[in-house]
């Protein structure tokens, strides 16, 4: 691609690994972002759920400000006074929804803080492999992990090795072995892929990047039964689905399933700093020993201060309840657009939806541009699908405004197509 095609006359110093919508944001508050020209936009993407609590939530900003005036980084070479409280409160929030260790009545999980989502997934993979060798007795170097088609778990070389999205994977080999890709949502295929080398099944409860794909209702319950019977860890990547988005703290709660290990990220940093974590069964995370894993920034004081404030918000149950209530409005509004033949499909749960537009009418990108022209921020995923994930703090009136603008954009695109 030429410089002209990339960014106009002036060559950009930025690597071209994104194709952002043409808007430059200067400030934001709650569900609204203001661009450099002073125009306000309703944010219906919320940083892919990193902004579940909106832009600059007062409690989260206050926690960050207070921490900036105390201590921001220690490295894990030393302790700091928020590390244990953060781990304890996150364990208390998530623990009841995790599987207890064998022989224990209640879950008593361990927390391992990292920074990005991909690092949390990498950590979960390492933990599962080591658990496989040390506890399950898998032959050295032979561990396998079952993953689903259409997955998105991040961008590292190991993680893209088991992606089936050519855009994410092509050109980055040699690929890390040890992963078995089976159709997402097909529990029989998962069962058939498991053998004595299998240490984990790693999947997203709802596939976000793939277009908010909700699996069949019996999928996760069956995964739980199958993995328990075969001594395989059930690892749920809740980086996008977790922390309120689906109306529950973990999406796995929707089916009453308690995984052995979860990865969390995105919203855990409150839209302020990158914070991720692996939370899992004590007997599983205990396979890690000093020196076997780490991160310079993982669990830093600023991250813990914000993460603690996020956990406090979720501990009230209010964000989850808001996602459920607003989700009813969102899905009713989107179904009406399907009924009026303005959309071809809608999927999702809670305040989270993937919508398909007729590819003859518009690409997802074109729809997002039409939304941007109407002051709404959303992002296409693949082809003619866009993802809607407004902040859980969005008012009902703003959500209805966003739905009205979506209807207007679609009506206009359909009319233009009909006009030729
Ligand atoms: C975003 C995402 C990741 C990767 O998180 P990063 O912070 O971008 O590394 C992993 N898994 C899922 C399900 C995600 O949505």
């Amino acid at each position: 691609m030429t410089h002209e095609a990339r960014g106009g006359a002036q060559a950009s110093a930025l690597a071209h690994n994104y194709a952002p919508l043409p808007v430059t944001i200067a400030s934001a508050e709650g569900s609204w972002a203001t661009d450099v020209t002073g125009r306000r936009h309703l944010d219906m993407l919320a940083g892919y759920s990193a902004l579940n609590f909106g832009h600059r939530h007062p409690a989260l900003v206050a926690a960050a400000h207070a921490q900036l005036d105390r201590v921001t980084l220690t490295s894990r070479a030393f302790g700091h006074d928020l590390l244990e409280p953060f781990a304890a409160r996150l364990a208390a929030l998530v623990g009841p929804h995790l599987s207890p260790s064998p022989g224990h009545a209640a879950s008593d999980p361990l927390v391992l803080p990292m920074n990005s989502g991909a690092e949390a997934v990498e950590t979960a993979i390492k933990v599962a492999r080591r658990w496989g060798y040390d506890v399950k007795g898998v032959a050295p170097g032979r561990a396998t992990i079952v993953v689903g088609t259409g997955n998105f778990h991040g961008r590292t070389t190991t993680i893209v090795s088991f992606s089936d999205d050519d855009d994410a994977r092509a050109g980055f080999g040699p690929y890390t072995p040890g992963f078995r890709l089976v159709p997402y949502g097909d529990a029989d295929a998962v069962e058939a892929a498991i053998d004595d080398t299998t240490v984990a099944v790693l999947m997203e409860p709802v596939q976000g990047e793939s277009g908010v794909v909700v699996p069949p209702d019996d999928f996760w319950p069956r995964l739980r039964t199958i993995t328990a019977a075969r001594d395989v860890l059930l690892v749920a990547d809740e980086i996008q689905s977790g922390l309120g988005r689906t109306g529950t703290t973990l999406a796995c709660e929707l089916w009453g399933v308690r995984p052995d290990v979860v990865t969390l990220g995105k919203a855990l940093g409150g839209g302020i700093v990158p914070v991720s974590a692996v939370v899992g069964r004590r007997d599983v995370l205990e396979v890690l020993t000093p020196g076997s894993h780490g991160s310079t920034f993982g669990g830093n004081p600023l991250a813990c201060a914000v993460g603690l404030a996020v956990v406090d918000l979720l501990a009230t149950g209010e964000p989850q309840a808001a996602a459920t209530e607003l989700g009813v409005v969102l899905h009713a509004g989107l179904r009406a657009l399907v009924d009026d033949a303005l959309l071809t499909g809608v999927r999702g749960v809670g305040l989270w939806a993937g919508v398909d537009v007729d590819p003859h009418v518009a690409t997802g990108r074109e729809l997002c541009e039409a939304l941007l022209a109407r002051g709404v921020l959303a992002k296409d995923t693949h082809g003619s699908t866009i993802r809607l994930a407004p902040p859980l703090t969005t008012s009902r009136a703003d959500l209805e405004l966003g739905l009205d603008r979506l209807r207007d954009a679609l009506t206009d695109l359909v009319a233009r197509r009909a006009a030729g």
Side-chain angles (χ1 to χ4, degrees), residues 396-416:
R396 186 183 169 135
D398 282 347
L399 182 61
E400 284 171 348
L401 179 76
L403 285 164
D404 286 347
R405 290 181 180 179
L406 175 61
R407 172 176 289 273
D408 186 61
L410 288 165
T411 305
D412 189 46
L413 287 166
V414 167
R416 278 187 204 207

Side-chain angles (χ1 to χ4, degrees), residues 210-211 338 342-347 354-359 362 367 381-382 384-386 410:
S210 228
V338 174
L342 291 167
L343 290 173
T344 55
V346 54
R347 297 168 297 284
V355 305
D356 304 322
V357 58
D358 179 349
L367 176 55
T381 55
H382 298 281
S384 359
T385 298
I386 72 166
L410 288 165

Side-chain angles (χ1 to χ4, degrees), residues 316-330:
T316 67
E318 285 163 21
Q320 298 91 320
T324 300
E325 279 168 36
L326 292 169
V328 172
V329 176
L330 176 70

Side-chain angles (χ1 to χ4, degrees), residues 30-31 51-55 57 319 322 326 351 390-396:
S31 298
L51 289 158
N52 273 4
F53 314 103
H55 293 271
H57 187 288
L326 292 169
L351 194 58
L392 310 183
T393 50
T394 303
S395 70
R396 186 183 169 135

Side-chain angles (χ1 to χ4, degrees), residues 48 115-119 121 152-155 204 209 237-240 266:
Y48 304 99
N115 311 284
S116 67
E119 286 175 304
V121 173
F152 182 82
H153 298 286
R155 301 292 197 169
E204 298 149 86
E209 189 70 20
D237 181 351
E238 294 260 13
I239 289 167
Q240 193 166 155
K266 293 201 165 96

Side-chain angles (χ1 to χ4, degrees), residues 179-324:
F179 298 94
R180 292 184 180 157
L181 191 65
V182 304
Y184 181 74
D186 184 344
D188 291 332
V190 172
E191 187 163 30
I194 291 174
D195 65 17
D196 290 346
T197 67
T198 308
V199 296
V201 171
L202 163 66
M203 298 205 185
E204 298 149 86
V206 174
Q207 288 186 327
E209 189 70 20
S210 228
V212 194
V213 176
V214 184
D217 264 342
D218 66 344
F219 182 60
W220 277 85
R222 285 199 60 205
L223 288 188
R224 182 64 285 181
T225 308
I226 293 163
T227 50
R230 302 289 292 273
D231 196 20
V232 167
L233 300 175
L234 183 57
V235 183
D237 181 351
E238 294 260 13
I239 289 167
Q240 193 166 155
S241 59
L243 307 180
R245 178 55 59 191
T246 61
T248 44
T249 301
L250 296 183
C252 283
E253 290 172 58
L254 294 169
W255 305 285
V257 165
R258 295 196 290 172
D260 301 304
V261 175
V262 291
T263 52
L264 300 171
K266 293 201 165 96
L268 192 56
I272 298 178
V273 281
V275 185
S276 69
V278 176
V279 188
R281 260 168 50 188
R282 183 167 286 266
D283 63 311
V284 174
L285 264 73
E286 264 173 358
V287 300
L288 293 181
T289 46
S292 61
H293 191 61
S295 163
T296 304
F297 290 97
N300 70 73
L302 185 58
C304 287
V306 174
L308 262 172
V310 165
V311 170
D312 284 349
L313 286 181
L314 287 162
T316 67
E318 285 163 21
Q320 298 91 320
T324 300

